[in-house]
Coordinates of all heavy atoms in Angstrom, one line a residue:
M1 N 270.2 -55.8 121.2 CA 270.3 -56.5 122.5 C 269.4 -55.8 123.5 O 269.0 -56.4 124.5 CB 271.7 -56.4 123.0 CG 272.6 -57.4 122.2 SD 272.1 -59.1 122.3 CE 272.5 -59.4 124.1
C2 N 269.1 -54.5 123.3 CA 268.3 -53.7 124.3 C 267.5 -52.7 123.5 O 267.9 -52.1 122.5 CB 269.3 -53.0 125.2 SG 268.5 -51.9 126.4
S3 N 266.2 -52.5 124.0 CA 265.4 -51.6 123.3 C 266.0 -50.2 123.4 O 265.7 -49.3 122.5 CB 264.0 -51.6 124.0 OG 264.0 -51.1 125.3
G4 N 266.8 -49.9 124.3 CA 267.5 -48.6 124.4 C 268.5 -48.4 123.2 O 268.9 -47.2 123.0
R5 N 268.8 -49.4 122.5 CA 269.7 -49.3 121.4 C 269.0 -49.0 120.1 O 269.6 -48.6 119.1 CB 270.5 -50.7 121.2 CG 271.4 -50.7 120.1 CD 272.6 -49.8 120.2 NE 273.4 -49.8 119.1 CZ 273.4 -49.0 118.0 NH1 272.4 -48.1 118.0 NH2 274.2 -49.1 117.0
V6 N 267.7 -49.0 120.1 CA 266.9 -48.7 118.9 C 266.8 -47.2 118.8 O 266.0 -46.6 119.4 CB 265.5 -49.4 119.0 CG1 264.7 -49.1 117.8 CG2 265.6 -50.9 119.2
E7 N 267.6 -46.7 117.9 CA 267.6 -45.3 117.6 C 266.4 -45.0 116.7 O 266.0 -45.8 115.9 CB 268.9 -44.9 116.9 CG 270.1 -45.1 117.8 CD 271.4 -44.7 117.0 OE1 271.3 -44.0 116.0 OE2 272.4 -45.2 117.5
P8 N 265.8 -43.8 116.9 CA 264.7 -43.4 116.1 C 264.9 -43.5 114.6 O 264.1 -43.9 113.8 CB 264.4 -41.9 116.5 CG 264.9 -41.9 117.9 CD 266.1 -42.8 117.9
R9 N 266.2 -43.3 114.2 CA 266.5 -43.4 112.7 C 266.3 -44.8 112.2 O 266.1 -45.0 111.0 CB 267.9 -42.8 112.4 CG 269.0 -43.6 112.9 CD 270.3 -42.9 112.6 NE 271.4 -43.6 113.3 CZ 272.2 -44.5 112.8 NH1 272.0 -44.9 111.5 NH2 273.1 -45.1 113.4
F10 N 266.5 -45.8 113.1 CA 266.3 -47.2 112.7 C 264.8 -47.4 112.2 O 264.5 -48.1 111.3 CB 266.6 -48.2 113.8 CG 268.1 -48.2 114.2 CD1 268.4 -48.8 115.4 CD2 269.1 -47.6 113.5 CE1 269.7 -48.8 115.9 CE2 270.4 -47.6 113.9 CZ 270.7 -48.2 115.1
I11 N 263.9 -46.8 113.0 CA 262.5 -46.9 112.8 C 262.1 -46.2 111.5 O 261.4 -46.7 110.6 CB 261.7 -46.4 114.0 CG1 262.0 -47.3 115.2 CG2 260.2 -46.4 113.6 CD1 261.5 -46.8 116.5
L12 N 262.7 -45.0 111.4 CA 262.4 -44.2 110.1 C 263.0 -44.9 108.9 O 262.3 -44.9 107.8 CB 263.1 -42.8 110.3 CG 262.5 -41.9 111.4 CD1 263.3 -40.6 111.5 CD2 261.0 -41.6 111.1
E13 N 264.1 -45.5 109.0 CA 264.7 -46.3 107.9 C 263.9 -47.4 107.5 O 263.7 -47.7 106.3 CB 266.1 -46.7 108.2 CG 267.2 -45.6 108.1 CD 268.6 -46.1 108.5 OE1 268.9 -47.3 108.4 OE2 269.3 -45.2 109.0
A14 N 263.3 -48.1 108.5 CA 262.4 -49.3 108.2 C 261.2 -48.8 107.5 O 260.8 -49.5 106.5 CB 262.1 -50.0 109.5
L15 N 260.6 -47.7 107.9 CA 259.4 -47.2 107.2 C 259.7 -46.8 105.8 O 259.0 -47.0 104.9 CB 258.8 -46.1 108.0 CG 258.1 -46.5 109.4 CD1 257.8 -45.2 110.2 CD2 256.9 -47.4 109.2
R16 N 260.9 -46.1 105.7 CA 261.3 -45.6 104.4 C 261.6 -46.8 103.4 O 261.4 -46.7 102.2 CB 262.5 -44.7 104.5 CG 262.9 -44.0 103.2 CD 264.0 -43.0 103.5 NE 265.2 -43.6 104.0 CZ 266.2 -44.2 103.2 NH1 266.1 -44.1 101.9 NH2 267.2 -44.7 103.7
A17 N 262.1 -47.9 104.0 CA 262.5 -49.1 103.2 C 261.2 -49.9 102.8 O 261.4 -50.9 102.1 CB 263.5 -49.9 104.0
G18 N 260.0 -49.5 103.3 CA 258.8 -50.2 102.9 C 258.1 -51.0 104.0 O 257.1 -51.6 103.7
A19 N 258.5 -50.9 105.2 CA 257.8 -51.5 106.3 C 256.5 -50.8 106.5 O 256.4 -49.6 106.4 CB 258.6 -51.5 107.6
D20 N 255.4 -51.6 106.8 CA 254.1 -51.0 107.0 C 253.9 -50.6 108.5 O 253.0 -49.8 108.8 CB 253.0 -52.0 106.6 CG 253.0 -52.2 105.1 OD1 253.3 -51.3 104.4 OD2 252.7 -53.4 104.7
G21 N 254.8 -51.1 109.3 CA 254.8 -50.8 110.8 C 256.0 -51.3 111.4 O 256.8 -52.1 110.8
V22 N 256.3 -50.8 112.6 CA 257.5 -51.2 113.3 C 257.1 -51.4 114.8 O 256.5 -50.6 115.4 CB 258.6 -50.1 113.3 CG1 259.8 -50.5 114.1 CG2 259.0 -49.8 111.8
L23 N 257.5 -52.6 115.2 CA 257.2 -53.0 116.6 C 258.6 -53.2 117.3 O 259.4 -53.9 116.9 CB 256.5 -54.4 116.6 CG 256.2 -55.0 118.0 CD1 255.4 -54.1 118.9 CD2 255.6 -56.4 117.8
V24 N 258.7 -52.4 118.4 CA 259.9 -52.5 119.2 C 259.5 -53.1 120.6 O 258.6 -52.6 121.2 CB 260.5 -51.1 119.5 CG1 261.7 -51.2 120.4 CG2 260.9 -50.4 118.1
L25 N 260.2 -54.2 121.0 CA 259.9 -54.8 122.2 C 261.1 -54.7 123.2 O 262.2 -54.9 122.7 CB 259.5 -56.3 122.0 CG 258.3 -56.5 121.2 CD1 258.1 -58.0 120.9 CD2 257.1 -56.0 122.0
G26 N 260.8 -54.4 124.4 CA 261.9 -54.3 125.4 C 261.5 -55.1 126.6 O 260.4 -55.5 126.8
C27 N 262.5 -55.2 127.5 CA 262.2 -55.8 128.8 C 261.3 -54.9 129.6 O 261.2 -53.7 129.4 CB 263.5 -55.9 129.6 SG 264.8 -56.9 128.7
H28 N 260.6 -55.5 130.5 CA 259.6 -54.7 131.4 C 260.4 -53.6 132.1 O 261.6 -53.8 132.5 CB 258.9 -55.7 132.4 CG 258.0 -56.6 131.7 ND1 256.7 -56.2 131.4 CD2 258.1 -57.9 131.3 CE1 256.0 -57.2 130.8 NE2 256.9 -58.2 130.8
P29 N 259.7 -52.5 132.4 CA 260.4 -51.5 133.2 C 260.9 -52.0 134.5 O 260.3 -52.8 135.2 CB 259.2 -50.5 133.5 CG 258.3 -50.7 132.3 CD 258.4 -52.2 132.0
G30 N 262.2 -51.6 134.7 CA 262.9 -52.1 135.9 C 263.6 -53.4 135.7 O 264.4 -53.9 136.6
E31 N 263.5 -54.0 134.5 CA 264.2 -55.3 134.2 C 265.2 -55.2 133.1 O 265.6 -56.2 132.6 CB 263.1 -56.4 133.9 CG 262.2 -56.6 135.1 CD 261.2 -57.7 134.9 OE1 261.2 -58.3 133.8 OE2 260.3 -57.9 135.8
C32 N 265.5 -54.0 132.6 CA 266.5 -53.9 131.6 C 267.8 -54.3 132.0 O 268.3 -53.9 133.1 CB 266.6 -52.4 131.1 SG 267.9 -52.1 129.9
H33 N 268.5 -55.2 131.2 CA 269.8 -55.7 131.6 C 270.9 -54.6 131.6 O 271.9 -54.7 132.2 CB 270.2 -56.8 130.6 CG 269.3 -58.0 130.7 ND1 269.5 -59.1 131.4 CD2 268.1 -58.1 130.1 CE1 268.5 -59.9 131.3 NE2 267.6 -59.4 130.5
Y34 N 270.5 -53.5 130.9 CA 271.4 -52.3 130.9 C 270.9 -51.2 131.8 O 271.2 -50.0 131.5 CB 271.7 -51.9 129.4 CG 272.3 -53.0 128.6 CD1 271.5 -53.8 127.9 CD2 273.6 -53.2 128.6 CE1 272.0 -54.9 127.1 CE2 274.2 -54.2 127.9 CZ 273.4 -55.1 127.2 OH 274.0 -56.1 126.5
L35 N 270.0 -51.6 132.7 CA 269.4 -50.7 133.7 C 268.3 -49.8 133.2 O 267.2 -49.8 133.7 CB 270.5 -49.9 134.4 CG 271.6 -50.8 135.1 CD1 272.7 -49.9 135.8 CD2 271.0 -51.8 136.0
E36 N 268.6 -48.9 132.3 CA 267.7 -47.9 131.9 C 267.4 -47.8 130.4 O 266.8 -46.8 129.9 CB 268.2 -46.5 132.4 CG 268.3 -46.4 133.9 CD 268.8 -45.1 134.3 OE1 269.3 -44.3 133.5 OE2 268.8 -44.8 135.6
G37 N 267.8 -48.8 129.7 CA 267.6 -48.8 128.2 C 266.1 -48.7 127.9 O 265.7 -47.9 126.9
N38 N 265.2 -49.4 128.6 CA 263.8 -49.4 128.2 C 263.2 -48.0 128.5 O 262.3 -47.6 127.9 CB 263.0 -50.5 128.8 CG 263.4 -50.8 130.3 OD1 264.0 -49.9 130.9 ND2 263.0 -51.9 130.8
Y39 N 263.7 -47.3 129.6 CA 263.2 -46.0 129.9 C 263.6 -45.0 128.8 O 262.8 -44.2 128.3 CB 263.7 -45.5 131.2 CG 263.2 -46.3 132.4 CD1 264.1 -47.0 133.2 CD2 261.8 -46.4 132.6 CE1 263.6 -47.8 134.3 CE2 261.3 -47.2 133.7 CZ 262.2 -47.9 134.5 OH 261.7 -48.6 135.5
K40 N 264.8 -45.2 128.3 CA 265.3 -44.4 127.2 C 264.5 -44.7 125.9 O 264.1 -43.7 125.2 CB 266.8 -44.7 126.9 CG 267.4 -43.9 125.8 CD 268.7 -44.4 125.4 CE 269.8 -43.9 126.3 NZ 271.2 -44.3 125.8
A41 N 264.2 -45.9 125.7 CA 263.3 -46.3 124.5 C 262.0 -45.7 124.6 O 261.4 -45.2 123.6 CB 263.2 -47.8 124.4
A42 N 261.4 -45.7 125.8 CA 260.0 -45.1 126.0 C 260.0 -43.6 125.7 O 259.1 -43.1 125.0 CB 259.5 -45.4 127.4
A43 N 261.1 -42.9 126.2 CA 261.2 -41.5 126.0 C 261.4 -41.2 124.5 O 260.7 -40.3 123.9 CB 262.3 -40.9 126.8
R44 N 262.2 -41.9 123.8 CA 262.5 -41.7 122.4 C 261.2 -42.0 121.6 O 260.9 -41.3 120.6 CB 263.6 -42.7 121.9 CG 265.0 -42.2 122.3 CD 266.0 -43.3 121.8 NE 267.3 -42.8 121.9 CZ 268.4 -43.5 121.7 NH1 268.2 -44.8 121.3 NH2 269.6 -43.0 121.7
M45 N 260.5 -43.1 122.0 CA 259.4 -43.5 121.2 C 258.3 -42.4 121.3 O 257.6 -42.1 120.3 CB 258.8 -44.8 121.7 CG 257.7 -45.4 120.8 SD 258.2 -45.8 119.1 CE 258.9 -47.4 119.4
A46 N 258.1 -41.8 122.5 CA 257.1 -40.8 122.6 C 257.4 -39.6 121.7 O 256.5 -39.0 121.1 CB 257.0 -40.4 124.1
L47 N 258.7 -39.2 121.7 CA 259.1 -38.1 120.8 C 258.9 -38.4 119.4 O 258.4 -37.7 118.6 CB 260.5 -37.7 121.1 CG 260.8 -37.0 122.4 CD1 262.3 -36.9 122.7 CD2 260.2 -35.7 122.5
L48 N 259.3 -39.6 119.0 CA 259.2 -40.1 117.6 C 257.8 -40.1 117.1 O 257.4 -39.7 116.0 CB 259.9 -41.4 117.4 CG 259.8 -42.0 116.0 CD1 260.6 -41.1 115.0 CD2 260.4 -43.4 115.9
K49 N 256.9 -40.6 118.0 CA 255.5 -40.7 117.6 C 254.9 -39.3 117.4 O 254.1 -39.1 116.5 CB 254.7 -41.4 118.7 CG 254.9 -42.9 118.6 CD 254.0 -43.7 119.6 CE 253.6 -45.0 119.0 NZ 252.4 -45.5 119.4
N50 N 255.3 -38.3 118.2 CA 254.9 -37.0 118.0 C 255.3 -36.4 116.7 O 254.6 -35.8 116.0 CB 255.5 -36.1 119.1 CG 254.5 -35.7 120.2 OD1 253.3 -35.8 119.9 ND2 255.0 -35.4 121.4
V51 N 256.6 -36.7 116.3 CA 257.1 -36.2 115.0 C 256.4 -36.9 113.9 O 256.0 -36.2 112.9 CB 258.6 -36.5 115.0 CG1 259.2 -36.2 113.6 CG2 259.4 -35.6 116.0
L52 N 256.2 -38.2 114.0 CA 255.5 -38.9 112.9 C 254.1 -38.4 112.7 O 253.6 -38.3 111.6 CB 255.6 -40.4 113.2 CG 256.9 -41.1 113.1 CD1 256.8 -42.6 113.6 CD2 257.5 -41.1 111.7
A53 N 253.4 -38.1 113.8 CA 252.1 -37.6 113.7 C 252.0 -36.3 112.9 O 251.1 -36.1 112.2 CB 251.5 -37.4 115.1
Q54 N 253.1 -35.5 113.1 CA 253.1 -34.2 112.4 C 253.2 -34.5 110.9 O 252.9 -33.6 110.1 CB 254.4 -33.4 112.8 CG 254.3 -33.0 114.2 CD 253.1 -32.1 114.6 OE1 252.9 -31.2 113.8 NE2 252.4 -32.4 115.6
F55 N 253.7 -35.7 110.5 CA 253.8 -36.0 109.1 C 252.7 -36.9 108.6 O 252.8 -37.5 107.5 CB 255.2 -36.7 108.8 CG 256.3 -35.7 108.9 CD1 257.0 -35.5 110.0 CD2 256.6 -34.9 107.8 CE1 258.0 -34.6 110.1 CE2 257.6 -33.9 107.8 CZ 258.3 -33.8 109.0
G56 N 251.7 -37.1 109.4 CA 250.5 -37.8 109.0 C 250.6 -39.3 109.2 O 249.8 -40.1 108.6
V57 N 251.6 -39.8 109.9 CA 251.8 -41.2 110.1 C 250.9 -41.7 111.2 O 251.0 -41.1 112.3 CB 253.3 -41.6 110.4 CG1 253.5 -43.0 110.6 CG2 254.2 -41.1 109.2
E58 N 250.1 -42.6 111.0 CA 249.2 -43.1 112.0 C 249.9 -43.7 113.2 O 250.9 -44.4 113.0 CB 248.3 -44.2 111.4 CG 247.4 -43.8 110.2 CD 248.1 -44.1 108.9 OE1 249.4 -44.2 108.8 OE2 247.4 -44.2 107.9
E59 N 249.4 -43.4 114.4 CA 250.1 -43.8 115.6 C 250.3 -45.3 115.7 O 251.3 -45.8 116.2 CB 249.3 -43.3 116.8 CG 249.9 -43.6 118.1 CD 249.1 -43.1 119.3 OE1 248.1 -42.4 119.1 OE2 249.3 -43.6 120.4
E60 N 249.3 -46.1 115.1 CA 249.4 -47.5 115.3 C 250.5 -48.2 114.5 O 250.8 -49.3 114.7 CB 248.0 -48.1 114.8 CG 246.9 -47.7 115.7 CD 246.2 -46.4 115.2 OE1 246.8 -45.7 114.3 OE2 245.2 -46.0 115.8
R61 N 251.1 -47.4 113.6 CA 252.2 -48.0 112.8 C 253.5 -48.3 113.6 O 254.3 -49.0 113.1 CB 252.5 -47.2 111.6 CG 251.4 -47.2 110.6 CD 251.8 -46.7 109.2 NE 250.7 -46.6 108.3 CZ 250.2 -47.5 107.6 NH1 250.7 -48.8 107.7 NH2 249.2 -47.3 106.8
V62 N 253.6 -47.6 114.7 CA 254.9 -47.7 115.4 C 254.5 -48.0 116.9 O 253.7 -47.3 117.5 CB 255.7 -46.4 115.4 CG1 257.0 -46.5 116.2 CG2 256.1 -46.1 113.9
R63 N 255.0 -49.0 117.4 CA 254.6 -49.4 118.8 C 255.8 -49.9 119.6 O 256.7 -50.6 119.1 CB 253.6 -50.6 118.7 CG 253.1 -51.1 120.0 CD 252.1 -52.2 119.8 NE 251.7 -52.8 121.0 CZ 250.7 -52.4 121.8 NH1 249.9 -51.4 121.4 NH2 250.4 -53.0 122.9
L64 N 255.8 -49.6 120.9 CA 256.8 -50.0 121.8 C 256.0 -50.8 122.9 O 255.0 -50.3 123.4 CB 257.5 -48.9 122.5 CG 258.4 -49.2 123.6 CD1 259.6 -50.0 123.2 CD2 258.9 -47.9 124.3
D65 N 256.5 -52.0 123.2 CA 255.8 -52.7 124.3 C 256.9 -53.5 125.1 O 258.0 -53.6 124.7 CB 254.8 -53.7 123.7 CG 253.6 -53.8 124.7 OD1 253.8 -53.8 125.9 OD2 252.4 -53.9 124.2
W66 N 256.5 -54.1 126.2 CA 257.4 -54.9 127.0 C 257.0 -56.3 127.1 O 255.9 -56.7 127.2 CB 257.3 -54.3 128.5 CG 257.3 -52.8 128.6 CD1 256.3 -52.1 129.2 CD2 258.2 -51.9 128.1 NE1 256.6 -50.7 129.1 CE2 257.8 -50.6 128.4 CE3 259.4 -52.0 127.4 CZ2 258.5 -49.4 128.1 CZ3 260.1 -50.8 127.0 CH2 259.7 -49.6 127.4
V67 N 258.0 -57.1 127.0 CA 257.8 -58.6 127.1 C 259.1 -59.2 127.6 O 260.2 -58.8 127.2 CB 257.3 -59.2 125.8 CG1 258.4 -59.1 124.7 CG2 256.8 -60.6 125.9
S68 N 259.0 -60.3 128.4 CA 260.2 -61.0 128.8 C 260.3 -62.3 128.0 O 259.3 -62.8 127.4 CB 260.1 -61.3 130.3 OG 259.2 -62.4 130.6
A69 N 261.5 -62.9 128.1 CA 261.7 -64.2 127.3 C 260.8 -65.3 127.8 O 260.5 -66.2 127.0 CB 263.2 -64.6 127.5
S70 N 260.2 -65.2 128.9 CA 259.4 -66.3 129.4 C 257.9 -66.0 129.1 O 257.0 -66.8 129.5 CB 259.5 -66.4 130.9 OG 259.1 -65.3 131.6
E71 N 257.6 -65.0 128.4 CA 256.2 -64.6 128.2 C 255.8 -64.9 126.7 O 255.4 -64.0 126.0 CB 255.9 -63.2 128.5 CG 256.1 -62.9 130.0 CD 255.9 -61.4 130.3 OE1 256.5 -60.6 129.6 OE2 255.1 -61.1 131.2
G72 N 255.9 -66.1 126.3 CA 255.6 -66.5 124.9 C 254.1 -66.1 124.5 O 253.9 -65.6 123.4
V73 N 253.2 -66.3 125.4 CA 251.8 -66.0 125.0 C 251.6 -64.5 124.9 O 251.0 -64.0 124.0 CB 250.8 -66.6 126.1 CG1 249.4 -66.2 125.9 CG2 250.9 -68.1 126.1
R74 N 252.2 -63.8 125.8 CA 252.1 -62.3 125.7 C 252.8 -61.8 124.5 O 252.2 -61.0 123.8 CB 252.8 -61.7 127.0 CG 252.8 -60.2 126.9 CD 253.4 -59.6 128.2 NE 253.8 -58.2 128.1 CZ 252.9 -57.2 128.1 NH1 251.6 -57.5 128.3 NH2 253.3 -56.0 127.9
F75 N 254.0 -62.4 124.1 CA 254.7 -62.0 122.9 C 253.8 -62.2 121.7 O 253.6 -61.3 120.8 CB 256.0 -62.8 122.8 CG 256.7 -62.6 121.5 CD1 257.4 -61.5 121.2 CD2 256.6 -63.6 120.5 CE1 258.1 -61.3 120.0 CE2 257.2 -63.4 119.3 CZ 257.9 -62.3 119.0
A76 N 253.2 -63.4 121.6 CA 252.3 -63.7 120.5 C 251.1 -62.7 120.4 O 250.8 -62.3 119.3 CB 251.9 -65.2 120.6
G77 N 250.6 -62.4 121.5 CA 249.4 -61.5 121.6 C 249.8 -60.1 121.1 O 249.1 -59.5 120.3
I78 N 251.0 -59.6 121.5 CA 251.4 -58.3 121.1 C 251.6 -58.3 119.6 O 251.2 -57.4 118.9 CB 252.7 -57.9 121.9 CG1 252.4 -57.7 123.3 CG2 253.3 -56.7 121.2 CD1 253.6 -57.5 124.2
V79 N 252.3 -59.3 119.1 CA 252.6 -59.4 117.7 C 251.3 -59.5 116.9 O 251.1 -58.8 115.8 CB 253.6 -60.6 117.3 CG1 253.7 -60.8 115.8 CG2 254.9 -60.3 118.0
N80 N 250.4 -60.3 117.3 CA 249.1 -60.5 116.6 C 248.3 -59.2 116.6 O 247.8 -58.8 115.5 CB 248.3 -61.6 117.2 CG 248.8 -63.0 116.9 OD1 249.5 -63.1 115.8 ND2 248.5 -63.9 117.7
R81 N 248.3 -58.5 117.7 CA 247.6 -57.2 117.8 C 248.2 -56.2 116.9 O 247.5 -55.4 116.1 CB 247.4 -56.7 119.2 CG 246.4 -57.4 120.0 CD 246.1 -56.7 121.3 NE 247.3 -56.7 122.2 CZ 247.6 -57.7 123.0 NH1 246.9 -58.8 123.0 NH2 248.7 -57.6 123.8
M82 N 249.5 -56.1 116.8 CA 250.2 -55.2 116.0 C 250.0 -55.5 114.5 O 249.7 -54.6 113.7 CB 251.7 -55.3 116.3 CG 252.6 -54.4 115.4 SD 252.4 -52.7 115.8 CE 253.5 -51.9 114.6
T83 N 250.0 -56.8 114.2 CA 249.8 -57.2 112.8 C 248.4 -56.8 112.4 O 248.2 -56.3 111.3 CB 250.0 -58.8 112.7 OG1 251.3 -59.1 113.1 CG2 249.7 -59.2 111.3
E84 N 247.4 -57.1 113.2 CA 246.0 -56.7 112.9 C 245.8 -55.2 112.7 O 245.1 -54.8 111.8 CB 245.1 -57.2 114.0 CG 244.9 -58.7 114.0 CD 244.2 -59.3 115.3 OE1 243.7 -58.5 116.1 OE2 244.3 -60.5 115.5
A85 N 246.5 -54.5 113.6 CA 246.3 -53.0 113.5 C 246.9 -52.5 112.3 O 246.3 -51.6 111.6 CB 247.0 -52.3 114.8
V86 N 248.1 -53.0 111.9 CA 248.8 -52.5 110.7 C 248.0 -53.0 109.4 O 247.9 -52.2 108.5 CB 250.2 -52.9 110.7 CG1 250.9 -52.7 109.3 CG2 251.0 -52.2 111.8
R87 N 247.5 -54.2 109.5 CA 246.8 -54.7 108.4 C 245.5 -53.9 108.1 O 245.1 -53.6 107.0 CB 246.4 -56.2 108.6 CG 245.7 -56.8 107.4 CD 245.5 -58.3 107.6 NE 246.8 -59.0 107.6 CZ 247.2 -60.0 108.3 NH1 246.3 -60.5 109.2 NH2 248.3 -60.6 108.2
A88 N 244.9 -53.4 109.2 CA 243.7 -52.6 109.1 C 244.0 -51.2 108.5 O 243.1 -50.7 107.8 CB 243.0 -52.4 110.5
L89 N 245.2 -50.7 108.8 CA 245.6 -49.4 108.2 C 245.9 -49.6 106.7 O 245.7 -48.6 105.9 CB 246.8 -48.9 108.9 CG 246.6 -48.4 110.3 CD1 248.0 -48.1 111.0 CD2 245.7 -47.2 110.4
G90 N 246.4 -50.7 106.3 CA 246.8 -50.9 104.9 C 248.2 -50.6 104.8 O 248.9 -50.2 105.7
P91 N 248.7 -50.6 103.5 CA 250.1 -50.3 103.3 C 250.5 -48.9 103.7 O 249.7 -48.0 103.5 CB 250.3 -50.5 101.8 CG 249.1 -51.3 101.3 CD 248.0 -51.0 102.3
F92 N 251.7 -48.7 104.1 CA 252.2 -47.4 104.5 C 252.6 -46.7 103.2 O 253.5 -47.2 102.5 CB 253.4 -47.5 105.5 CG 253.9 -46.2 105.8 CD1 253.2 -45.2 106.3 CD2 255.3 -46.0 105.7 CE1 253.7 -43.9 106.7 CE2 255.9 -44.7 106.0 CZ 255.1 -43.7 106.5
R93 N 252.1 -45.5 103.0 CA 252.4 -44.7 101.8 C 252.9 -43.4 102.3 O 252.1 -42.5 102.5 CB 251.3 -44.6 100.9 CG 250.6 -45.9 100.5 CD 250.2 -45.9 99.1 NE 249.3 -47.0 98.7 CZ 249.8 -48.3 98.5 NH1 251.1 -48.6 98.7 NH2 249.0 -49.3 98.2
P94 N 254.2 -43.2 102.5 CA 254.7 -42.0 103.1 C 254.4 -40.7 102.4 O 254.1 -39.7 103.0 CB 256.2 -42.2 103.1 CG 256.5 -43.5 102.5 CD 255.3 -44.2 102.2
K95 N 254.3 -40.8 101.1 CA 254.0 -39.6 100.3 C 252.6 -39.2 100.5 O 252.3 -38.0 100.7 CB 254.2 -39.9 98.8 CG 255.2 -39.1 98.1 CD 255.3 -39.4 96.7 CE 256.2 -38.3 96.0 NZ 256.5 -38.6 94.7
E96 N 251.7 -40.2 100.6 CA 250.3 -39.8 100.8 C 250.1 -39.2 102.2 O 249.3 -38.3 102.4 CB 249.4 -41.1 100.6 CG 249.3 -41.5 99.2 CD 248.6 -42.8 99.0 OE1 247.9 -43.3 100.0 OE2 248.7 -43.4 98.0
A97 N 250.8 -39.8 103.2 CA 250.7 -39.2 104.6 C 251.1 -37.8 104.6 O 250.4 -36.9 105.2 CB 251.5 -40.1 105.5
A98 N 252.2 -37.5 103.9 CA 252.7 -36.1 103.9 C 251.8 -35.2 103.2 O 251.6 -34.1 103.6 CB 254.1 -36.1 103.3
E99 N 251.2 -35.7 102.1 CA 250.3 -34.9 101.3 C 249.0 -34.6 102.1 O 248.5 -33.5 102.1 CB 249.9 -35.5 100.0 CG 251.1 -35.5 99.0 CD 250.8 -36.3 97.8 OE1 249.7 -36.9 97.7 OE2 251.7 -36.4 97.0
A100 N 248.5 -35.6 102.9 CA 247.3 -35.4 103.7 C 247.6 -34.3 104.8 O 246.7 -33.5 105.1 CB 247.0 -36.7 104.4
V101 N 248.8 -34.3 105.3 CA 249.1 -33.2 106.3 C 249.1 -31.9 105.6 O 248.6 -30.9 106.2 CB 250.4 -33.5 107.0 CG1 250.9 -32.3 107.8 CG2 250.4 -34.8 107.8
G102 N 249.6 -31.8 104.4 CA 249.7 -30.5 103.7 C 248.3 -30.0 103.3 O 248.1 -28.8 103.1
E103 N 247.3 -30.9 103.2 CA 246.0 -30.5 102.9 C 245.2 -29.9 104.0 O 244.1 -29.4 103.9 CB 245.2 -31.7 102.3 CG 245.8 -32.1 100.9 CD 245.2 -33.4 100.4 OE1 244.3 -33.9 101.0 OE2 245.7 -33.9 99.4
R104 N 245.7 -30.0 105.3 CA 245.0 -29.6 106.4 C 244.9 -28.0 106.4 O 245.7 -27.3 106.0 CB 245.7 -30.0 107.7 CG 245.4 -31.4 108.0 CD 246.0 -31.8 109.4 NE 246.2 -33.2 109.5 CZ 246.9 -33.8 110.4 NH1 247.5 -33.1 111.3 NH2 247.1 -35.1 110.4
Ligands
FES201 S1 268.0 -55.2 127.9 FE1 267.3 -53.2 127.9 S2 265.2 -53.4 127.4 FE2 265.9 -55.4 127.5

């Protein structure tokens, strides 16, 4: 119901289960129905991206953006850009990402 409800473990579970990328969409800043959920989501996402980078996960595989129910064109654009970015990266292979970090 709210981007603030998306716990980092949900994203990790999706990647572990085989997702090539995860897109989280929330209401625009200042428009969360639960007041601060999207701010919480933004803070969590920044931390999660930092952790994922440590494990060699490309930044483009996980994305947080804002869209309202009346912004169909914006929604489609965000989804299309995410799809293109993930497609360009190819399938997510967690073992290979971890190994690449180990080789540094
Ligand atoms: S209701 Fe919280 S981000 Fe939309």
Side-chain angles (χ1 to χ4, degrees):
M1 289 298 292
C2 174
S3 64
R5 178 65 183 93
V6 180
E7 297 176 20
R9 69 183 170 94
F10 297 164
I11 296 169
L12 296 173
E13 283 178 27
L15 292 170
R16 191 174 58 88
D20 294 326
V22 178
L23 174 62
V24 178
L25 295 172
C27 301
H28 289 279
E31 296 181 5
C32 173
H33 300 262
Y34 300 93
L35 304 180
E36 297 180 348
N38 44 14
Y39 296 120
K40 182 189 280 186
R44 284 178 166 173
M45 187 64 84
L47 289 171
L48 179 62
K49 284 185 146 205
N50 257 338
V51 171
L52 290 174
Q54 297 298 312
F55 289 94
V57 178
E58 301 93 339
E59 182 180 347
E60 297 87 355
R61 291 200 188 273
V62 178
R63 180 181 173 87
L64 171 67
D65 213 326
W66 317 123
V67 67
S68 75
S70 64
E71 296 177 310
V73 172
R74 177 175 166 77
F75 171 79
I78 292 169
V79 171
N80 285 334
R81 283 191 295 279
M82 176 74 181
T83 301
E84 289 166 15
V86 171
R87 187 173 288 143
L89 290 171
F92 177 55
R93 307 218 190 285
K95 241 182 171 176
E96 291 174 15
E99 287 170 5
V101 171
E103 291 171 7
R104 285 187 200 164

